[in-house]
Amino acid sequence: MKTLIIDYGVSNLGSVSRAVEECGGKVFVNDYPKKSEKFEKIILPGVGSFHVGMKNLRDRGWPEFIKQFVLEKEIPILGICLGMQLLADSGEEGGETPGLGLISGQVEKLKSSEGGERIPHVGWNQIHQKRKDLLLEGVLPGADFYFVHSYHLVPTNKKDILATTPYCNNFVSVVNKKNIYGTQFHPEKSGLTGFMILKNFTTKICKLKLKTYDISVKDLIKQIKNAVKDQKVICAVSGGVDSSVA
């Protein structure tokens, strides 16, 4: 399965590409959407400011491309560091700037708690998982990851929070909404545990299309009778008769 890594001029492309390849994934790096090959995953890495990151994405025509594939075609995306922040509705770094709008929320500057933590937040720190997800499968409680940032994403919907970090009032360090993922830390610089997250994303996070049917039992029976008419029908139920009893 090939992973598209987006190059928009503010990315640590080499380390991310090598890390994904070390995890057994196939990658191709692309700086403009028109050059794109076939892919099944997207990684949006990034270092630097929100304003510059969004400007570069817009200048190269990436926002429309990303939204088309992520929202319409349900291709999984993983934003890393600045890439995670750009998933938000807007960010205040470098002046109020609209984001990609894939995760409802704002990107704000970190604020020290009573402990007086240093900003920027640089170094290793824990993440505390809030709910189960394939992205964090196999990651031990309290595992450490490498961070370098001064801003953080504040999701509007708490259901989009996958993990938090005990620093500057417990900022959100991992987000998820359906096929949209983001990590504030750098998994490619976080040793074997970081590589585990990249491997989970490239091998376990798959497109999932859920179909719902607005039809009553009576209508369904009518459809079957019209199709079968006078013929005989065999109904096979997985698990036997017990499974068909409601």
Side-chain angles (χ1 to χ4, degrees):
M1 294 185 288
K2 190 169 286 189
T3 299
L4 164 64
I5 299 180
I6 295 178
D7 174 12
Y8 56 111
V10 290
S11 310
N12 49 327
L13 301 171
S15 56
V16 174
S17 298
R18 287 192 295 272
V20 173
E21 289 173 341
E22 285 287 333
C23 295
K26 296 180 180 179
V27 306
F28 76 97
V29 178
N30 196 4
D31 54 356
Y32 285 93
K34 293 181 180 179
K35 300 179 183 179
S36 287
E37 303 175 18
K38 291 184 179 180
F39 59 89
E40 294 179 302
K41 307 282 188 300
I42 299 173
I43 292 181
L44 181 66
V47 292
S49 74
F50 192 100
H51 177 77
V52 172
M54 280 307 304
K55 180 181 183 303
N56 287 10
L57 283 177
R58 289 194 302 270
D59 289 347
R60 302 187 184 201
W62 280 112
E64 295 77 13
F65 178 93
I66 292 172
K67 291 176 183 179
Q68 177 188 359
F69 279 87
V70 173
L71 297 180
E72 297 178 17
K73 299 185 179 182
E74 298 181 354
I75 296 291
I77 185 171
L78 172 64
I80 296 176
C81 196
L82 174 62
M84 166 176 155
Q85 296 177 10
L86 297 179
L87 301 176
D89 291 324
S90 65
E92 63 181 29
E93 185 180 11
E96 192 71 18
T97 304
L100 293 171
L102 299 179
I103 295 285
S104 296
Q106 312 296 319
V107 175
E108 304 172 358
K109 189 165 186 178
L110 289 169
K111 295 179 180 178
S112 299
S113 62
E114 295 180 357
E117 300 98 335
R118 291 182 179 181
I119 300 172
H121 175 215
V122 180
W124 295 81
N125 214 328
Q126 298 178 346
I127 68 167
H128 294 167
Q129 191 169 343
K130 297 301 179 181
R131 56 181 171 84
K132 290 184 178 180
D133 190 272
L134 287 174
L135 185 72
L136 301 181
E137 189 172 272
V139 176
L140 297 176
D144 286 318
F145 296 87
Y146 187 74
F147 293 84
V148 183
H149 64 116
S150 298
Y151 289 77
H152 67 120
L153 197 164
V154 183
T156 302
N157 193 337
K158 291 185 177 180
K159 292 182 180 179
D160 295 341
I161 300 174
L162 193 51
T164 60
T165 292
Y167 196 88
C168 287
N169 303 292
N170 287 307
F171 67 83
V172 176
S173 47
V174 188
V175 293
N176 164 237
K177 180 181 179 182
K178 297 181 179 179
N179 56 316
I180 302 164
Y181 291 86
T183 64
Q184 183 58 66
F185 55 84
H186 288 271
E188 79 281 4
K189 297 181 180 179
S190 299
L192 293 178
T193 308
F195 277 37
M196 183 184 299
I197 285 182
L198 290 174
K199 188 168 185 178
N200 286 345
F201 178 73
T202 56
T203 62
K204 296 182 180 180
I205 305 298
C206 301
K207 288 195 301 180
L208 181 61
K209 295 186 178 180
L210 300 177
K211 295 183 179 179
T212 57
Y213 297 90
D214 185 14
I215 185 171
S216 67
V217 175
K218 289 183 179 179
D219 289 338
L220 186 59
I221 293 174
K222 185 177 180 180
Q223 286 185 17
I224 294 173
K225 285 183 176 179
N226 289 337
V228 175
K229 296 181 180 179
D230 296 330
Q231 300 181 52
K232 294 182 179 180
V233 177
I234 296 177
C235 179
V237 180
S238 175
V241 176
D242 291 341
S243 299
S244 64
V245 178

